[in-house]
Amino acid sequence: MQKCFNNLKVEEYKKETIIQREREDSIDIRCTEFPDFSEEFHQIVKAGWLEKTPPKGGKIYQRRWVQLDSEYIRYFQSVKEVYSKRMVSLGSVDKVVSVGDLRFELHNQSRTFLFRAESTQERNDWVCCLEKILSDRKNSLEPRNLFFKNGSVNSIFEGYLEMLSPRNKVYTLISRDKLFLFRSHEEYFQGVGITDIDMRMASVRDGENKRSFTLTTPYRTFSFVVNSESEKVKWCELLNECVSRSLSCDGVCESIWRVPANRFCADCNSSMPEWASINLCVLLCEKCAGVHRSLGQNVSKVRSLKLDERVWTDDLIRVFLLLGNGKANQFWGANIPPSESLCVNANSEQRLQHITAKYKDGKYRKYHILFGQQEALNKALCSAVQFADLLETLSLLNCGADINCHTGIPQFPSPLSLAKHSGQTVQAELLMQNLNSETFTPVVKDVSIRSHSGNLFKTASSARPITDHKSKADFSQRWCCLGDGMFSYFKNEQSHNKCGGMKISEIICFSVNSPGKHGYEHTFELFSEEGRVYLFGTDDGSIAKNWIRAIAMAVLPPALFDVCGNCDRLGRLRCTEGSNGIGWFCLSGFKLQVLLKDNVQTIDLRKLLTLTLCDSSGSMVLVWRGGPLHLLADRRPHFVGWQTYIQQKSGAGDQPLSQQQLSDLGVPVTIDRCLDYVTCYGLLSSGIYRKSGINSHVTKLQERFQSDARSVTWCESEYSVDDVANTLKRFLREVKDGVFNGQENNNSWLRAAGLEDRSEKIHRYQILLSNLPDVNRETLRVLIHHLVCVQHLSEENQMTLRNLGIVFGPTLFQTDGTDATASQVVEELIQNYCSIFNVSESDLQRQLNMTSDVLNKHKSQKSLSRTPSSTICAVYLEKKEEGAAVLVQVPADMTVFKLVSVVLEQKGIQKANEEFWSCYEILEKEDMERTLHYQERVLPLYFSLSCHCHLLIKRNHYILGIMRYLENKVNLCKDGPLRVCELKSESSRNFHLRHCELSGKTFRLYKELQGSQCEREYPAKELKIYHGCRSKLHPPTPWGLMLIHDKQQWYLCCENEDELTEWTATFYSIQV
Ligand SMILES: [Zn+2]
């Protein structure tokens, strides 16, 4: 049952338009497209981010965008999603209650939903809104408790449908103008749904086979399969009725006027406009329509909503619903001065003047950022038409993009054919209305390949990873076949005797080599379950591409089909979090798509919080903001490749900015950490960035950042602000290609500085900025923002605009400083920060005031630093009780000491004199505990806990005894007899008296009590020490210690408590 709909996964398409920013990972139901409008159709009462309890067993809260209207509470993966992950009918909700500090629960008859707000105020707001709606509902006469008896939905048809990719049954219900999806029939009765689809935006089409069909909306495509052809016909018929009912039951006018902005003339604002310009996408009153007509068909194509019925196809109506006057005027009328705006009573001359200026002369339009760059405009158009943003297309078309430009794709040469191919029928409609003559290109259907065959070249299989170069002579030609669950190869096409092959289910990994690695240009490797590697190759790129796609489709579970064809490596790995211990992985570039249980998640490897390779076992732990991921070591050859790839793609210090380890904001970690430090401690420091630090410190710090930036923390405070400031400068000066991305771009920026006209220059900077890769642009933004802060405090730190220019010009442009233009550019970027980076002056001013306030009061500067990567961890206080966990936001660099003080503070506990609190790792099953070192970092530790472990904070009674013992000690060593039991197997549980010794840095175990023969020797630092003793072992005394080294476990029993204290004290002090 867990295999449910919320795991529907659609690939996140990256928009190619350069102003579009890259988004975070994609998870679950999400649209391929993001709408600009969202609230036009729902009356949203409240919306905001909340954290929701994770599905069964998870520790980490999930951040969700939650929306409340009078009927439903829904939550979404992000603000931009159209389709919720869950919707709960408020008719089924019995009550809402506040629980714990920031949380509240929603109870319905079948289950409880727990949410957590960011503040008490916010939580109370939610509870208040919900209570208001619930009581309003109670007071109305409508029956409660059933999803569909609340008056909002009438079921017209319902039943199970099978959803494709991944295959999941969904209970589906057609209502008047919406389609509702549920995980099951049962949940439908419980009032808990997945999402609803507004059918006004949808179209229904035949699928790839006789029993399948698709429902396409501008945001994503849903594919369904049913049991029989007749059933399909029935569904399609009813869905089509639903579409037309939703669109046209009111007539064209009513339909279009449902969007509020469409109820007024786009030009003169008179109400209920019954005319439209179908290419300019605006609704017009009769008078304005007359003026439009006089401009000619080539400027404005005027049609009546009432008279020209046949023009109004469903798609054209959708254009006006999605775009309409509201959006279209954001473009056409962005800059209308009040003195030139048109009023309802305007005379015909005023109308003609205004409308001509507005549409024909383009006087008020908002010029596209690419205006004037023909090639970039065309490229942007080709990209835009594949997605839902109609305003972008309208803007491009009217700012010079060529509607007939060549897309560069032979099958879909024009933007129109590309839009159709991408399923963007509304985009296609918009293009069509703006096109005079259009040559139709048949849309080639993308045939999904289940079977495939052809000649490839193959080397002999190997039991080891193939690291050496294979020349063409090492390969021999084979006829290869994929089908019927097998991958087989034959001597030639005619041969019936198989040379070899494997079941597809036995392929555990498939890896595409970079071109030219071997004698054949394109090669890929298959790894079998048995641990053998098969290398295949061809010189023909398109043959290789088809094979890669076919094999990927055959090997991968359907949930990952979307990534087929463009990934470098895929396969399954043993991993703790996966279902039955198996997870599926696809790596393309920096992106690792992961299918665990039934969730597809995308991890940007550059943004990992930590990456740990356990040397001894070979396993890997990846910690990202979604939690930890443990890949278990595997001795078969495919695993080494995964290790290498993941490590390579997780960012490296000697690469350009975009290939460095990145922060959550997408800025190199090195820059992020240095800026944080200087912001916290250096803004008031005189001559910051100008004074040099201690060279050896800077070099050391630089090396640490270069080898693993993520691991650098500041807790030791061994560096001065000048050391850190200079490390930052050195990084910027030396990083490959620099911030401006290469010499050629450096020159463009420097040339722009020479422009005479100020606004032209700013505009040029904006264009250059938008052309930078995401990481470079973001880096430049945070850097300049930082310099604006530094300059703002120049009375204190003496770093005036000019000084900053002198320092950062040569640094950012990586020049020797002889050319003053570099400094000029930096000065101008700082000076014009708001207009170039599109930041509002008032926002900036607020931030700057806050900065000065905080600094002036010499308060903790914590609030200034951007939130570092962190995770919410659950710890217990004094005793573990269900539901009593304390949730703490744990940043990557939080120490155990800090954790203890945060928890005590959160719980309002004052430390008494001579009282010590520590954090313990508790092994529940063994009834043992380990005191954690106060300097240890919490996050890696937390993620390495196994499932029967937890963190507990409590008073430490031993510590006084330990301190007293250590006070008078000069020479730290201890030896003496202990009762020892080595836990080899369940059977060996005998304790023997042996001589033990702890001296220097070593712990020694002797064979006997008197013997001089040392049996075991361990570095004390590598031992983990637990207090307690398993009662199962029948320990001879209650004062036990357990030592763990790798897989070996030793139990030691002392004679009395003092002895236990002494041994513990000695261990601790040696381990520090
Ligand atoms: Zn008008």
Side-chain angles (χ1 to χ4, degrees), residues 182-219:
F182 305 87
R183 287 186 187 180
S184 66
H185 186 244
E186 197 190 356
E187 291 206 342
Y188 150 50
F189 272 112
Q190 291 167 350
V192 184
I194 300 163
T195 194
D196 53 347
I197 300 166
D198 185 336
M199 295 294 276
R200 277 178 298 172
M201 302 296 156
S203 56
V204 185
R205 274 163 222 207
D206 271 349
E208 296 194 347
N209 69 48
K210 289 179 177 173
R211 294 186 291 110
S212 68
F213 61 93
T214 62
L215 192 66
T216 307
T217 73
Y219 318 113

Side-chain angles (χ1 to χ4, degrees), residues 2-3 557 572-585 594-599 629:
Q2 268 306 97
K3 244 202 162 186
R572 54 175 192 257
L573 287 169
R574 290 193 297 135
C575 102
T576 328
E577 291 78 10
S579 75
N580 301 322
I582 296 287
W584 282 91
F585 297 80
V594 184
L595 176 68
L596 306 167
K597 308 212 164 73
D598 36 23
N599 254 334
L629 199 60

